[in-house]
Amino acid sequence: MAKKIVVIPGDGIGGEITSSAVDVLKKIDEKFHIGLSYEYHDAGGTAYDKFGTPLPQTTIDAAKASDGVLFGAVGGNQWDQVEPELRPEKAILGLRKHLGLYANLRPVKVADTLVEYSPLKPEVVRGVDLVIVRELIGGIYFGDRCESEMHDGHERAWDLENYSIPEVVRIAKLAFETAKLRRGKVTSVDKSNVLATSRLWRRTVTRMAADYPEVELDHLYVDNCAMQLALRPTQFDVILTGNLFGDILSDEAAVLGGSIGMMPSASIGECTSLFEPIHGSAPDIAGMGIANPIGTILSAAMLLRYALKEEAAAQAVEKACDQALADGYRTPDLWKDGFTKVSTTKMTQAVIGRI
Ligand code: NAI
Ligand code: MG
């Protein structure tokens, strides 16, 4: 059975980094005989220039019909004047909505070779290997809001947070299942000392834990979690949290490894899932052939793991990335004296050569 991957390069460095990831997937396919095929589609500013919209219907349809979407990045200054509804970044929100991408998975693994790039002390970050499971299409970002109203003689605004039990169950299930494949620990993060939504969240997650006896569950308030991520990040395996808290914590956790170019992500949908590096289109280095492709290559590894259930192939990609870094290859964003400075293409070849 052939597996169809829709590749959406997007803007800026998107083309360079997705091309690297596809080259790696092609090598993987030679070895693991998965039967991968690729279909390219536009999104972002590139799509706006061609079709007048950042997310053409053809891209949505193809993504829905695929086995997984590999996404580069969108955005760039040349589209700053475009009206808000047609801005490149709208493509991401549109794909989230159309594919029903309800969960965002962000692994943060600090390889021994990269410990020195972290802003935290080596002894704090060595061994960090966690994943944040964030609810992506509910909570306060999607609740009712009021931009302006008069109340007791003063102008005010408000945003409404709400979560239903099925929404919590869906995301918590994913967190428990993810923990089963890892070290078996879920930390659910909320603010249940203050918020009603958090109390429903905690109640629901606690009830579900009975179905996962092999998984250890604990709870943290979000403010304490933010502190613990900087104090003792190795304590975490799977962090489960809502949309707002997850947005903030996942950016905090992303800096543990010290480099934005290295971080992958997966957005899980009911049918199709989407995989992309966490960074943007890096217009300042676009077209120069120096972008770090590792974040996108590791996103392709997540596609193999979560969309295609090809765990061995996913691990082969991850190991090859670790090995290339251990052997001293560095794109300019990470280069220091004593290492081998390489281009995007050379870095990609270093990874492919280690598969
Ligand atoms: P950015 O992540 O594109 O870049 C921030 C800095 O990190 C830049 O100096 C860039 O050169 C560097 N960088 C990022 N990825 C790199 C890589 N793979 N290798 C080496 N260096 C890398 O964030 P910025 O500058 O805030 O945004 C640029 C554009 O990207 C904006 O239009 C923004 O809206 C968009 N964006 C898109 C995202 C997406 O498509 N998912 C996510 C974040 C931003
Ligand atoms: Mg964010």
Side-chain angles (χ1 to χ4, degrees):
M1 273 292 280
K3 299 285 182 192
K4 191 169 81 190
I5 296 175
V6 159
V7 184
I8 302 178
D11 308 319
I13 60 170
E16 301 160 60
I17 54 178
T18 48
S19 148
S20 291
V22 168
D23 286 347
V24 170
L25 286 172
K26 285 180 175 162
K27 171 72 182 187
I28 281 290
D29 209 11
E30 276 173 28
K31 234 186 132 165
F32 290 84
H33 311 291
I34 303 167
L36 300 174
S37 70
Y38 309 89
E39 207 184 288
Y40 287 79
H41 288 274
D42 290 304
T46 316
Y48 174 80
D49 289 345
K50 278 195 206 169
F51 308 107
T53 165
L55 187 59
Q57 190 62 41
T58 45
T59 301
I60 298 170
D61 293 342
K64 277 187 176 166
S66 75
D67 292 293
V69 178
L70 183 68
F71 189 91
V74 291
N77 308 336
Q78 62 268 56
W79 298 287
D80 278 352
Q81 305 312 321
V82 172
E83 63 177 284
E85 280 313 299
L86 295 174
R87 294 281 294 259
E89 290 80 2
K90 284 284 171 191
I92 303 172
L93 295 176
L95 281 166
R96 273 184 200 168
K97 190 175 122 220
H98 288 288
L99 298 178
L101 303 175
Y102 66 91
N104 186 242
L105 263 59
R106 279 226 208 156
V108 179
K109 189 172 177 181
V110 183
D112 283 347
T113 44
L114 298 177
V115 160
E116 58 183 301
Y117 295 93
S118 177
L120 299 188
K121 295 193 192 90
E123 62 268 30
V124 175
V125 290
R126 188 169 288 114
V128 164
D129 181 4
L130 60 86
V131 52
I132 298 188
V133 177
R134 165 190 169 194
E135 202 287 326
L136 204 55
I137 53 176
I140 195 164
Y141 290 1
F142 288 83
D144 285 347
R145 58 178 46 91
C146 170
E147 299 292 334
S148 170
E149 70 177 15
M150 292 307 287
H151 181 78
D152 284 346
H154 297 285
E155 184 180 1
R156 73 173 185 182
W158 50 263
D159 305 272
L160 182 74
E161 160 107 339
N162 66 72
Y163 268 116
S164 67
I165 288 183
E167 283 176 301
V168 181
V169 166
R170 179 171 64 174
I171 189 80
K173 184 166 184 286
L174 185 68
F176 281 116
E177 298 291 346
T178 304
K180 268 171 43 178
L181 299 173
R182 295 171 47 95
R183 299 195 305 283
K185 184 176 170 194
V186 170
T187 303
S188 176
V189 174
D190 62 36
K191 188 72 185 173
S192 60
N193 47 346
V194 179
L195 301 176
T197 40
S198 280
R199 285 190 282 275
L200 176 125
W201 180 284
R202 190 178 283 219
R203 235 176 21 244
T204 307
V205 174
T206 303
R207 200 160 49 228
M208 290 174 68
D211 298 334
Y212 299 92
E214 65 276 62
V215 177
E216 178 197 342
L217 171 69
D218 61 7
H219 304 272
L220 274 187
Y221 297 138
V222 61
D223 40 352
N224 188 17
C225 181
M227 192 168 70
Q228 294 299 326
L229 272 171
L231 282 176
R232 207 165 59 82
T234 49
Q235 71 185 281
F236 296 111
D237 181 19
V238 175
I239 294 177
L240 160 66
T241 191
N243 204 345
L244 170 63
F245 299 154
D247 189 8
I248 299 165
L249 293 176
S250 57
D251 273 15
E252 184 193 357
V255 302
L256 293 174
S259 168
I260 195 173
M262 303 276 301
M263 313 295 292
S265 81
S267 295
I268 307 294
E270 266 150 9
C271 304
T272 310
S273 300
L274 179 143
F275 304 83
E276 60 170 332
I278 69 161
H279 59 72
S281 56
D284 52 334
I285 57 165
M288 295 166 68
I290 58 168
N292 189 338
I294 301 283
T296 316
I297 293 172
L298 291 174
S299 301
M302 294 187 85
L303 187 155
L304 291 165
R305 169 173 297 121
Y306 292 102
L308 307 181
K309 312 289 177 213
E310 296 281 351
E311 178 62 27
Q315 285 187 22
V317 174
E318 289 163 353
K319 275 215 187 88
C321 289
D322 279 351
Q323 195 55 51
L325 291 163
D327 291 344
Y329 294 96
R330 298 284 189 274
T331 42
D333 52 313
L334 291 179
W335 181 80
K336 287 181 187 173
D337 258 347
F339 291 104
T340 312
K341 194 193 271 183
V342 289
S343 63
T344 309
T345 321
K346 283 271 157 55
M347 188 74 196
T348 307
Q349 282 161 1
V351 172
I352 290 173
R354 284 160 181 76
I355 289 175

